[in-house]
């Protein structure tokens, strides 16, 4: 996992709200994530597709995409924190 992808995981983790449909989802849009990370939305979109395909995050179905960490994504952050 690249450093920018790890930053996306961390951003999703630290900005997660309470349970929605028995899951915790980050309310930030890709545009807002890009503003926090200092990169364009299309780059955030590319990273989100990569992280989703790798099983680190899951999108909530619906008109407006929201993202949650999977157990695999949480494991990556735990390993980073323990280094």
């Amino acid at each position: 996992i690249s450093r920018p992808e790890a930053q996306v995981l961390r951003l999703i983790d630290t900005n997660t709200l309470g349970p929605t449909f028995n899951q915790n989802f980050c309310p930030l849009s890709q545009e807002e994530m890009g503003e926090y990370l200092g990169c364009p939305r299309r780059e955030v979109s590319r990273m989100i597709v990569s992280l989703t395909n790798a099983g680190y995050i899951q999108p909530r179905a619906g008109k407006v995409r929201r993202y949650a960490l999977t157990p695999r994504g949480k494991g990556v952050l735990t390993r980073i924190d323990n280094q």
Side-chain angles (χ1 to χ4, degrees):
I1 188 169
S2 70
R3 184 170 186 221
E5 288 174 336
Q7 290 175 323
V8 170
L9 288 180
R10 179 68 64 196
L11 191 61
I12 290 171
D13 184 49
T14 57
N15 287 284
T16 296
L17 297 177
T20 303
F21 302 109
N22 297 323
Q23 290 287 338
N24 291 322
F25 290 91
C26 175
L28 299 176
S29 68
Q30 291 179 4
E31 185 77 29
E32 291 168 320
M33 288 182 195
E35 289 174 11
Y36 276 102
L37 300 172
C39 64
R41 186 204 59 80
R42 68 181 180 281
E43 188 174 330
V44 173
S45 179
R46 181 192 55 76
M47 288 187 281
I48 285 175
V49 168
S50 175
L51 292 167
T52 300
N53 290 341
Y56 295 118
I57 62 174
Q58 66 179 31
R60 186 183 82 184
K63 190 174 183 179
V64 177
R65 291 293 189 163
R66 299 293 182 244
Y67 305 94
L69 294 181
T70 64
R72 186 174 183 189
K74 289 178 185 177
V76 168
L77 291 180
T78 300
R79 284 193 298 277
I80 290 170
D81 290 343
N82 292 331
Q83 287 182 350

